[in-house]
Amino acid sequence: MITELLGHKDYLCILLALRKRKGLRFSEIQKELELKPAQVDRALKFLRAGLWVIPRIVPTKGGRILVEYELSKRGECFLSVVVDSLRNAVKNVAILGASARQEVQSLYL
């Protein structure tokens, strides 16, 4: 399951977005990451099934029900390891090269 997660940049980007901002709705994830609805839907299904994210139901005054997604404890733990690894990769710019460094930095900054 972790290898599949690491193999999909969209999945990882959604987790990192939820790390930055707690409680994002589907449309907010889509806009912030400039993804297509099908990409967000596929990623959220995978992330929910793996217990990486938790959907929260938020009632509104108008009677509408909103769903916001948050990182689970499992997702938080996974990201702490990933972000540490990304930071170590950026430190090794001589080995990575500038373009790889920029790509890695864009994921977590």
Side-chain angles (χ1 to χ4, degrees):
M1 188 140 210
I2 289 177
T3 55
E4 189 175 350
L5 176 60
L6 290 172
H8 290 273
K9 184 178 177 181
D10 297 345
Y11 300 0
L12 186 56
C13 287
I14 288 173
L15 289 178
L16 290 166
L18 291 172
R19 183 175 189 252
K20 287 181 188 175
R21 220 174 108 208
K22 187 177 178 180
L24 289 174
R25 295 190 324 267
F26 185 101
S27 60
E28 292 172 328
I29 293 169
Q30 182 186 348
K31 288 176 188 172
E32 186 169 322
L33 299 176
E34 298 177 0
L35 297 173
K36 295 177 183 174
Q39 291 173 290
V40 177
D41 185 56
R42 184 180 332 110
L44 288 176
K45 282 180 183 174
F46 175 85
L47 295 171
R48 285 192 317 257
L51 303 175
W52 304 105
V53 299
I54 300 170
R56 300 265 187 232
I57 307 243
V58 181
T60 64
K61 291 182 181 179
R64 291 182 38 209
I65 296 175
L66 300 176
V67 178
E68 292 182 344
Y69 297 92
E70 297 178 1
L71 280 178
S72 66
K73 294 289 183 191
R74 182 179 187 186
E76 290 174 7
C77 180
F78 172 76
L79 279 184
S80 69
V81 171
V82 169
V83 170
D84 285 346
S85 297
L86 292 172
R87 286 188 177 129
N88 285 333
V90 169
K91 290 178 186 175
N92 293 307
V93 69
I95 297 167
L96 281 177
S99 63
R101 179 179 187 227
Q102 288 175 337
E103 182 181 357
V104 169
Q105 281 183 311
S106 74
L107 286 173
Y108 74 92
L109 293 177

